[in-house]
Amino acid sequence: MRVLVLGGGGREHALVWKLRQSRLVQDVCCMPGNAGIARLARCVPGDPTDVAAVADFASRERIDLTVVGPEAPLVAGVADELERRGMRVFGPSRAAAEIEGSKAFAKGLMARHGIPTAAYAAFTDPAAADAYLTGRQGPLVVKADGLAAGKGVVVCGDATEAREWVRRIMVDRIFGAAGDRVVIEEHLEG
């Protein structure tokens, strides 16, 4: 079996390491990989979020299975395109990946289906988020809605700190487009 692993971090290194141990796997390549992964697999240049390029590569190289590590390629729809072309992929569809790609979507899904979660509100307007924070007490959590490389969630001690983070995320755009919308939620301990 020929396997393609998408990504280049520690998660993907662990995936490549384990896949290499299978007697069913003859070849592992990784896009883009890293220096550590290069000891175990053939690293190929490329952007895992470039859906067409990934699918073209997998087709050209006769990849039997693509394993997707990071969330961004899944949110971009790489699993959908590989499946559309009749290729095997380990990773959810774009629609299913939205639960990771949008904090507001995930919170809304939980609310609609009665899944316990912290009380929250989502905003695309910083002024509306600021108004929501008026009178709020205690710690709050501010989240950039989109993918922010694991950096988009901030636990704030009070509403003043939460306002500052809303400004940094939505106005200063420290997380880029991931901060087009923010989720503000109650802080839960435990």
Side-chain angles (χ1 to χ4, degrees):
M1 178 183 301
R2 296 173 53 86
V3 180
L4 168 63
V5 175
L6 295 181
R11 175 188 315 165
E12 293 77 36
H13 193 148
L15 288 167
V16 167
W17 173 76
K18 194 61 181 174
L19 286 163
R20 294 294 305 171
Q21 294 175 18
S22 172
R23 59 183 167 75
L24 301 175
V25 175
Q26 290 83 38
D27 184 36
V28 179
C29 52
C30 191
M31 180 187 289
N34 64 39
I37 291 171
R39 296 180 185 164
L40 301 170
R42 178 171 52 107
C43 292
V44 295
D47 176 0
T49 64
D50 185 341
V51 173
V54 169
D56 290 345
F57 176 84
S59 178
R60 185 172 58 253
E61 294 288 320
R62 296 192 167 109
I63 297 296
D64 298 300
L65 174 66
T66 299
V67 178
V68 187
E71 298 86 358
L74 296 167
V75 170
V78 74
D80 304 76
E81 181 61 16
L82 290 166
E83 285 183 353
R84 188 187 72 75
R85 294 189 190 194
M87 293 182 243
R88 292 185 188 135
V89 60
F90 183 78
S93 68
R94 172 186 272 177
E98 191 173 0
I99 200 165
E100 180 67 25
S102 168
K103 294 358 168 245
F105 174 83
K107 296 295 283 186
L109 179 84
M110 289 183 269
R112 283 190 307 279
H113 295 285
I115 299 167
T117 188
Y120 78 99
F123 303 93
T124 57
D125 175 28
D130 187 69
Y132 174 80
L133 289 167
T134 300
R136 299 276 169 195
Q137 300 294 315
L140 298 158
V141 180
V142 177
K143 299 179 176 184
D145 179 56
L147 296 176
K151 311 273 187 274
V153 176
V154 183
V155 178
C156 303
D158 57 26
T160 301
E161 186 180 0
R163 277 190 179 88
E164 175 62 20
W165 276 101
V166 167
R167 184 192 59 73
R168 293 183 70 195
I169 293 169
M170 299 187 83
V171 178
D172 297 346
R173 309 206 33 88
I174 63 171
F175 301 123
D180 287 348
R181 178 168 45 183
V182 296
V183 171
I184 301 172
E185 65 182 30
E186 71 177 322
H187 176 261
L188 299 178
E189 288 191 35

